[in-house]
Amino acid sequence: MQRVFQRDYRAGAALLATLAQNGHAPSQFRLGFLYRLGLGVPRNLRLSGYWFEKAAQQGHVGGQYWLAESYRRGDGVPRAPELAFQWFNRLAEQGYAPAQYQVALAYTEGLGVSKNDVAAVGWLQRAVAGGHGDAARRLAQAYRDGELGLPRDPRQAQQWEDKAQPARF
């Protein structure tokens, strides 16, 4: 594994492949990412999705997130908003803020799930509580523009915008 961190991607990919084939979920996820980016192996989104799914089935958070992202985009797997939502939702329920944000966007746009502004706002708030700045910016926009069933409220918009800014020390 050390070789991957020294940017010898070919050697790292070979080691990861051995570990991944033996069922090591973190290696499956990392190998999936190497295939996604084409580092040390030819770029292959189909194999990327394959390894993400192997890792996801074992509960690996990165594997679950990137499998969902692959389904959302149709990268190496058929585009399947419903499956993307299911995988994102599984992670969101466990408190993973990036997945909570994706669940909120799905509810906002009605992708893979019925459009539901109340659920979207709730998931955005949960993602903000988990430190997701884009979720705070999306809530600020909703208050600025009167979206997602929220009233136009510049003061609330600014409060959410302030939460999107990193803390300054």
Side-chain angles (χ1 to χ4, degrees):
M1 297 287 254
Q2 186 66 12
R3 289 185 174 158
V4 171
F5 297 112
Q6 294 173 352
R7 300 204 188 280
D8 185 352
Y9 295 113
R10 178 170 284 147
L15 176 59
L16 288 172
T18 299
L19 294 169
Q21 290 165 357
N22 286 313
H24 187 251
S27 296
Q28 292 168 337
F29 168 67
R30 288 181 181 102
L31 184 59
F33 232 90
L34 291 181
Y35 276 112
R36 181 176 186 78
L37 300 174
L39 296 173
V41 294
R43 187 166 191 262
N44 186 324
L45 293 178
R46 187 187 59 74
L47 282 174
S48 176
Y50 172 83
W51 288 114
F52 287 157
E53 184 170 12
K54 289 286 192 186
Q57 294 294 346
Q58 294 189 70
H60 188 275
V61 171
Q64 290 176 356
Y65 185 86
W66 281 97
L67 178 61
E69 192 63 29
S70 296
Y71 280 127
R72 186 179 74 79
R73 297 176 183 194
D75 284 350
V77 296
R79 187 173 181 282
E82 295 82 11
L83 286 173
F85 178 81
Q86 289 170 15
W87 282 106
F88 282 134
N89 194 58
R90 183 180 299 183
L91 280 173
E93 292 288 350
Q94 296 172 34
Y96 189 58
Q100 292 171 333
Y101 179 64
Q102 292 298 327
V103 166
L105 294 180
Y107 276 120
T108 298
E109 301 165 13
L111 294 175
V113 67
S114 297
K115 188 172 174 8
N116 183 328
D117 289 345
V118 172
V121 169
W123 281 108
L124 286 169
Q125 290 171 339
R126 288 173 75 172
V128 171
H132 202 283
D134 288 342
R137 282 185 278 285
R138 182 64 183 95
L139 278 169
Q141 176 189 339
Y143 275 108
R144 249 190 320 278
D145 300 339
E147 299 173 343
L148 303 177
L150 298 173
R152 287 181 193 259
D153 187 334
R155 188 180 61 72
Q156 280 276 15
Q158 188 58 54
Q159 287 176 351
W160 286 108
E161 193 67 47
D162 291 345
K163 291 181 183 191
Q165 304 305 316
R168 292 182 180 87
F169 295 97

